[in-house]
Amino acid sequence: MNKTKAEEQFHKTEEQFRSVMQECRTLFEKKLHDYGASWRILRPSSLTDQLFIKAKRIRSLETTGESLVGEGIRPEFMALINYGIIGLIQLERGYVDTVDITPGEAMQMYDIHSRQCLELMLRKNHDYNEAWRDMRVSSYTDFILTKIQRVKEIENLHGNTLVSEGIDSNYMDIINYACFGAMKTKQAE
């Protein structure tokens, strides 16, 4: 049976998404080796600020075109993916004063949340019909910054929202937009 052009495009998106997520997973695993799960100590507000500075750096690089550190936009999108998954783990487990999980346990949780993000992306990509492909990378950055601002507001409200989706949904959207950004910036290389 022949695949339609749309089915081929959806399949390509899934392959590209999985590839970026695998790159991020490999980096996450290496950092776990070097630092352990030291991020378990991060409180929600600190994690939100870490996401914020990564997204602001991308925006700065996009607007100025200048990097004095020597790292480009794509590594920052990948950092957003990994910190977003850390955020999902922290929401699930809470923060601690000392590291309480092994690297193996951290990788199991990483894989669970990564899979959930893939499933969400596939559902949304179906409904939005590959719209991400026609968007500018700078729009992903702005949407990520908007999601981070929403998380800050929800944190300020101590989670007592009236109609909004929770912090976890915003983290998953940040991860997925960052993945699209990493996919597009890789294509541009």
Side-chain angles (χ1 to χ4, degrees):
M1 176 184 274
N2 291 336
K3 286 185 176 181
T4 67
K5 185 110 169 135
E7 288 172 326
E8 288 176 9
Q9 196 67 21
F10 284 125
H11 182 70
K12 181 179 177 184
T13 295
E14 182 177 352
E15 283 180 2
Q16 288 176 301
F17 190 96
R18 285 181 185 273
S19 177
V20 167
M21 292 303 279
Q22 184 57 48
E23 274 185 84
C24 291
R25 185 188 192 281
T26 299
L27 179 61
F28 187 86
E29 192 168 35
K30 288 177 180 178
K31 288 194 175 200
L32 268 175
H33 174 271
D34 292 351
Y35 305 129
S38 58
W39 45 265
R40 288 287 294 127
I41 295 167
L42 287 172
R43 290 178 284 177
S45 58
S46 299
L47 187 54
T48 302
D49 286 343
Q50 182 64 26
L51 289 165
F52 177 73
I53 63 172
K54 294 294 182 185
K56 284 293 281 189
R57 182 161 189 277
I58 293 170
R59 192 171 189 171
S60 173
L61 292 172
E62 288 171 345
T63 56
T64 67
E66 183 179 4
S67 170
L68 299 181
V69 179
E71 293 179 354
I73 291 173
R74 190 167 191 274
E76 298 295 1
F77 276 128
M78 293 174 67
L80 283 166
I81 293 165
N82 283 343
Y83 278 114
I85 290 177
I86 288 169
L88 292 169
I89 294 170
Q90 293 295 80
L91 284 175
E92 179 184 326
R93 301 276 304 246
Y95 66 92
V96 294
D97 291 328
T98 58
V99 176
D100 64 342
I101 59 174
T102 66
E105 291 168 325
M107 292 310 301
Q108 286 176 338
M109 289 182 273
Y110 186 98
D111 290 341
I112 289 167
H113 292 292
S114 176
R115 191 171 29 259
Q116 290 170 343
C117 290
L118 169 66
E119 291 166 2
L120 176 65
M121 183 281 295
L122 290 172
R123 290 190 308 272
K124 286 188 172 186
N125 193 44
H126 172 271
D127 289 356
Y128 289 97
N129 197 26
E130 294 279 315
W132 74 271
R133 289 193 179 275
D134 296 322
M135 294 170 58
R136 296 174 188 96
V137 173
S138 59
S139 294
Y140 306 139
T141 307
D142 290 350
F143 291 158
I144 289 167
L145 283 165
T146 300
K147 295 288 182 177
I148 292 167
Q149 185 60 41
R150 289 178 181 180
V151 169
K152 286 181 177 184
E153 295 294 331
I154 293 169
E155 288 172 348
N156 291 342
L157 293 169
H158 308 287
N160 296 320
T161 60
L162 298 177
V163 296
S164 302
E165 51 191 15
I167 292 174
D168 58 337
S169 295
N170 285 285
Y171 281 161
M172 290 176 81
D173 285 344
I174 289 166
I175 292 164
N176 287 346
Y177 283 128
C179 199
F180 290 150
M183 290 159 64
K184 271 219 173 163
T185 53
K186 183 171 184 147
Q187 290 172 349
E189 290 176 350

